[in-house]
Amino acid sequence: MKIATLQFAPKLGERDQNIARADALLATTTNLPSLDLLVLPEMAFTGYSFPDLSSILPFLEPTSSGPSTEWAIRTAQRLQCHVCVGYPERSTRSGEEGKNYNSLVTVSPAGEVVAHYRKSFLYYTDETWAEEGQGFLSTEIEGWGEFSKVAMGICMDINPYKFQTEWEKYEFATHCVENEAGLVVLSTAWLTSMMPGDLLANPNAPDSDTLNYWVARFKPVLEKMGREEVVVVFANRCGIEPGKVDGVTRGIDEQGESVVGFAGTSCVMGIKDGELKIWDMLGRAEERLLVVDTEYPPRFGLKQRTRDTEMPA
């Protein structure tokens, strides 16, 4: 399966410019192969760190029909692949009018919406404007063979609920195991604890702390023996935005305002019988398209499970 993630640094509240940036990155990708799936980050075109409802209100999009979905339709038809894009939703469904969600839309090569997911576990930033979704999504995508059973999530979904439930519950990973997902798609705006200067000093190096954490949250999948390989796609964003979150606010901008940084490190993993491999991954501040073909050998692998999760080498 040929899978791509587009990692870039959208600017908060600059939707048109962010769409143009995504198009430019795709246009400058040399020798772009035929793809099966393209995944973009959480709230890819609006930015993420809106402080309250009033600030995000102008950027909320109708269910499966706003600028983000329109871009996904155009791009899916042009590239002839499925496209997943995260966006802030203002529901237009009957009985839900006026409700807001942090959502992920999936469009087929024919330009049809084939899946729509709403974030179930909200991060602090989401709680100022969005409601919880109706539960984790497992669906089937026609024509994907062994990868046709798909689980979809958004960022905080892989964490303990509200950071309050037991670590060992692994709610999202357990959902993937119970529903026998062959493909897991995660659209994220994952923050980093690194200082902005450190992020930019070595942009092509991954954020190893973030990568290790992601792997740790998939322990139930790692421990499930005797089943087919599970492919996990982490489509994260990079860059810096104005914002303040306890524990992750890192730095002050030129205007003296607090800023947060995003971890980048988008990657495609494979998990089977306790072994982990990573076909490829991007750096912490790298803006480009990552393309992997699961028919080819991975660049990184962890041959044996250990008690403590370690960075694949």
Side-chain angles (χ1 to χ4, degrees), residues 151-183:
M152 295 184 176
I154 302 175
C155 205
M156 177 70 186
D157 282 331
I158 72 170
N159 282 314
Y161 179 64
K162 292 183 178 291
F163 295 115
Q164 295 174 0
T165 57
E166 299 85 353
W167 173 271
E168 293 79 11
K169 286 191 70 173
Y170 299 105
E171 295 98 324
F172 183 79
T174 299
H175 167 84
C176 295
V177 171
E178 291 177 347
N179 287 274
E180 299 182 337
L183 176 66

Side-chain angles (χ1 to χ4, degrees), residues 276-302:
L276 170 74
K277 60 186 179 185
I278 298 179
W279 275 278
D280 207 351
M281 59 184 154
L282 295 177
R284 61 188 67 154
E286 199 173 1
E287 290 189 273
R288 70 176 178 90
L289 185 73
L290 175 71
V291 180
V292 305
D293 188 336
T294 60
E295 295 296 318
Y296 286 86
R299 289 188 61 192
F300 310 95
L302 183 65

Side-chain angles (χ1 to χ4, degrees), residues 78-123:
R78 178 170 62 86
L79 298 180
Q80 281 299 289
C81 70
H82 286 77
V83 175
C84 301
V85 180
Y87 76 102
E89 175 194 0
R90 182 80 158 184
S91 180
T92 54
R93 293 177 179 172
S94 177
E96 294 181 347
E97 295 87 349
K99 292 186 177 182
N100 306 321
Y101 300 94
N102 184 336
S103 299
L104 179 68
V105 64
T106 303
V107 175
S108 74
E112 299 175 349
V113 174
V114 293
H116 189 271
Y117 171 67
R118 293 164 170 171
K119 190 175 186 177
S120 296
F121 289 5
L122 301 183
Y123 192 59

